[in-house]
Amino acid sequence: MSRPSLIVYCGLPGVGKSAAAAYTADELPARRFRSDEIRKELFPEPEYTAAETAATYDELLERGREALASGSNVVLDATFRSTEYRDRAAALAAEVDAADGVAFVRVTCETDVVTERLDQRTTAESVSDAGLREYRLVSESFEPLERDHVVVDNSGPLEETYRQIDRSVLDR
């Protein structure tokens, strides 16, 4: 059995992490775990406290661990705004001997495009509650990503985002 891969998608709310992560998971194939979904499972009416965030990341990483240990490729989809959670993802990859360790992908997007997308987002089409307020709050607290990583700019059409992923994430 070949060693599974761990790919961590990170970035600000509304930049398109979930679209990029979903594409990657389909193409690999891989199991995808989303912090937004896990938070809602754990906390049906989330208040986005530090304790909720810690519990959400604990569960996200545990699900990733279990899937990797069973031989599945894994894509984690969350802001990963803190070095602590990125370090934990890297430690997880080492613990399960993931192929090539962990690959971090930071999704970016021009602020005006994010603003437009968040204005158009409805809860019917997105499990995320994040709006422009959360985008601004996270942008102020997002710690620098000081690990090797790929940047995918999701400011344009999804097809261009997918081409970037094909070149820089899936062809590595």
Side-chain angles (χ1 to χ4, degrees):
M1 177 167 89
S2 65
R3 293 178 10 230
S5 296
L6 174 60
I7 301 175
V8 172
Y9 273 85
C10 64
L12 302 178
V15 297
K17 292 181 304 296
S18 293
Y23 175 80
T24 301
D26 287 346
E27 293 297 308
L28 267 179
R31 303 253 336 257
R32 177 171 68 120
F33 299 101
R34 296 180 64 190
S35 63
D36 290 329
E37 290 175 352
I38 291 171
R39 184 183 300 268
K40 294 275 177 83
E41 287 174 31
L42 297 175
F43 308 99
E45 304 221 3
E47 296 177 17
Y48 296 89
T49 64
E52 282 181 9
T53 298
T56 299
Y57 275 92
D58 288 347
E59 184 65 20
L60 176 77
L61 293 166
E62 183 55 34
R63 290 182 190 186
R65 173 183 284 104
E66 290 172 4
L68 287 163
S70 73
S72 295
N73 295 317
V74 170
V75 174
L76 299 179
D77 170 3
T79 61
F80 280 94
R81 69 175 152 187
S82 76
T83 302
E84 172 194 354
Y85 293 124
R86 295 177 206 144
D87 289 349
R88 287 180 59 193
L92 166 62
E95 177 185 318
V96 299
D97 195 27
D100 301 320
V102 60
F104 285 93
V105 181
R106 177 155 186 195
V107 180
T108 63
C109 187
E110 295 171 8
T111 302
D112 59 332
V113 175
V114 172
T115 302
E116 183 178 318
R117 288 178 184 165
L118 289 175
D119 283 345
Q120 294 172 355
R121 179 188 276 181
T122 65
T123 53
E125 65 188 31
S126 175
V127 70
S128 175
D129 294 327
L132 197 52
R133 177 181 172 275
E134 290 76 18
Y135 171 82
R136 289 186 179 121
L137 286 171
V138 174
S139 68
E140 292 170 6
S141 64
F142 197 93
E143 296 175 8
L145 182 49
E146 296 174 339
R147 296 181 161 276
D148 284 343
H149 64 282
V150 169
V151 175
V152 171
D153 180 358
N154 189 34
S155 300
L158 274 178
E159 294 73 26
E160 173 53 30
T161 299
Y162 297 160
R163 281 193 288 278
Q164 292 175 64
I165 292 168
D166 288 341
R167 283 191 311 268
S168 60
V169 178
L170 297 174
D171 285 345
R172 57 183 215 115

